[in-house]
Amino acid sequence: MNGRFLVTGGAGFIGSHLCDRLLADGASVVCVDNFLTGQRENLKTLSPNKNFQFIEADVVKGVEIAGALAGIFHMASPASPVDYYKYPIETLRIGSIGTENILKVALEKDCPVLLASTSEVYGDPLEHPQKETYWGNVNPIGPRSCYDEAKRYLEAIAMAYHRVHQLPIRLVRIFNTYGPRMRAGDGRVVPNLCLQALKGEPLTVYGDGSQTRSFCFVDDLVSGLIKVLSANEIGPFNLGNPTEITVLKFAEELKRLAASRSEIVFEPLPQDDPKMRKPDITKVQTKLGWTPGVGLEQGLSKTLDFFRASLS
């Protein structure tokens, strides 16, 4: 991918992998992050690259970028329940004020902008699997609403800028993504269970474990992001792995791969936790030819290696 790209939230889990991939493909990268949930550690391998520039800034306060841009990836936002429960107001501001600030940068630079939305816009879905045409079943005042509604607003204001200013936007709805650099303690199922299994602690499963998730390896997700920005299609596009698995079966598979003797324990299900999550990716497959290729065992093995190294 040629040119110079802005990545907001570039010190985050997905953002840092995206920066890696863009640099590997020969692009130049301007990374913006304020480390609300991003990690400096994720930039260690990026900083020495002459084509990488880091700006510590808060998109809510605005960011000035000198020079031309070929495109923008707006990834900035807390993305795990632990984070947006801790920072609900910040999450709403990033999705609203921060997003509009980045849309203004895209207008100024006359470049396309990809906006990272989420499967959470579907809420606790009554349609399964979820297509992009589904409008969702979202609780607008529940504890998760700060994230759900921030992303729904992100999509709405992006479309408004497209309709009023003809801004070339790209919308993606990201489903459960996992891999190296996930933050320990962020409350998501993959880092929680990986660390518990490696430490020999009980594996925590919420509810009875019958709720389903679809896990996409981060390398596949990044490939999808780049493909969407490069295409002349607004979207929205679901990006995720359509292979569905129950949380209980996932815990059992992780336990096997980690060769762990941990027992599985059950805790109450959090409020508004989705019971089913599976993307219908027909649209992105048909229009852009994107399909995830990393199987769960391969991806989990790499993720376990990362967490194993973090414990040594």
Side-chain angles (χ1 to χ4, degrees):
M1 203 171 190
N2 296 319
R4 182 170 179 253
F5 296 87
L6 171 62
V7 179
T8 71
F13 160 51
I14 294 174
S16 63
H17 281 281
L18 175 58
C19 290
D20 271 345
R21 172 66 182 274
L22 289 169
L23 291 168
D25 287 352
S28 295
V29 173
V30 181
C31 168
V32 170
D33 208 298
N34 69 343
F35 299 113
L36 181 68
T37 58
Q39 296 181 284
R40 295 182 189 275
E41 180 76 14
N42 291 342
L43 303 179
K44 279 180 64 176
T45 60
L46 297 167
S47 297
N49 193 311
K50 63 181 176 63
N51 292 322
F52 179 77
Q53 177 189 359
F54 175 70
I55 299 173
E56 185 170 350
D58 182 348
V59 295
V60 174
K61 296 177 181 177
V63 58
E64 293 186 6
I65 307 294
L69 292 174
I72 299 173
F73 294 88
H74 180 40
M75 312 299 295
S77 178
S80 75
V82 164
D83 290 336
Y84 50 75
Y85 289 170
K86 184 178 180 181
Y87 302 113
I89 295 172
E90 291 88 344
T91 300
L92 284 159
R93 285 177 174 164
I94 291 166
S96 54
I97 301 167
T99 294
E100 185 164 12
N101 285 338
I102 295 303
L103 290 168
K104 289 176 180 177
V105 172
L107 270 181
E108 176 195 343
K109 304 297 182 183
D110 190 25
C111 69
V113 53
L114 179 145
L115 301 110
S117 186
T118 173
S119 60
E120 295 296 332
V121 300
Y122 300 126
D124 189 4
L126 303 178
E127 172 182 293
H128 193 72
Q130 294 83 58
K131 296 184 180 72
E132 291 89 347
T133 50
Y134 178 53
W135 289 357
N137 178 42
V138 178
N139 178 357
I141 59 171
R144 303 171 75 101
S145 65
C146 58
Y147 184 62
D148 303 349
E149 298 300 341
K151 292 298 190 180
R152 287 161 73 93
Y153 180 86
L154 170 147
E155 293 192 15
I157 194 168
M159 288 303 301
Y161 264 71
H162 170 70
R163 292 177 179 125
V164 173
H165 301 293
Q166 292 75 53
L167 181 66
I169 66 165
R170 313 284 186 261
L171 289 173
V172 294
R173 293 172 180 164
I174 298 173
F175 282 68
N176 293 74
T177 304
Y178 72 101
R181 296 184 198 159
M182 295 193 86
R183 203 175 79 247
D186 81 352
R188 286 184 276 195
V189 63
V190 173
N192 277 1
L193 292 178
C194 281
L195 287 168
Q196 288 170 345
L198 292 171
K199 291 178 180 179
E201 299 172 351
L203 304 184
T204 306
V205 169
Y206 294 96
D208 61 4
S210 63
Q211 66 272 33
T212 66
R213 295 293 183 267
S214 305
F215 296 99
C216 183
F217 192 63
V218 66
D219 291 355
D220 283 334
L221 190 279
V222 165
S223 294
L225 295 174
I226 292 173
K227 193 172 278 285
V228 171
L229 184 69
S230 303
N232 189 26
E233 293 278 351
I234 293 171
F237 290 106
N238 288 338
L239 290 182
N241 192 316
T243 302
E244 188 178 21
I245 187 172
T246 67
V247 172
L248 179 57
K249 188 170 182 182
F250 178 81
E252 291 169 343
E253 177 67 4
L254 191 82
K255 178 178 174 179
R256 180 185 71 80
L257 289 172
S260 173
R261 295 185 178 182
S262 297
E263 62 173 332
I264 295 175
V265 296
F266 298 88
E267 298 287 346
L269 197 65
Q271 183 180 343
D272 297 333
D273 192 57
K275 299 176 185 66
M276 296 180 293
R277 186 67 86 221
K278 176 183 177 179
D280 183 320
I281 62 169
T282 303
K283 184 176 178 180
V284 72
Q285 285 176 317
T286 302
K287 288 183 174 289
L288 305 184
W290 177 82
T291 301
V294 179
L296 187 61
E297 181 167 342
Q298 181 186 357
L300 275 182
S301 296
K302 291 182 178 181
T303 308
L304 281 166
D305 287 344
F306 168 78
F307 282 112
R308 193 176 286 113
S310 74
L311 293 173
S312 61

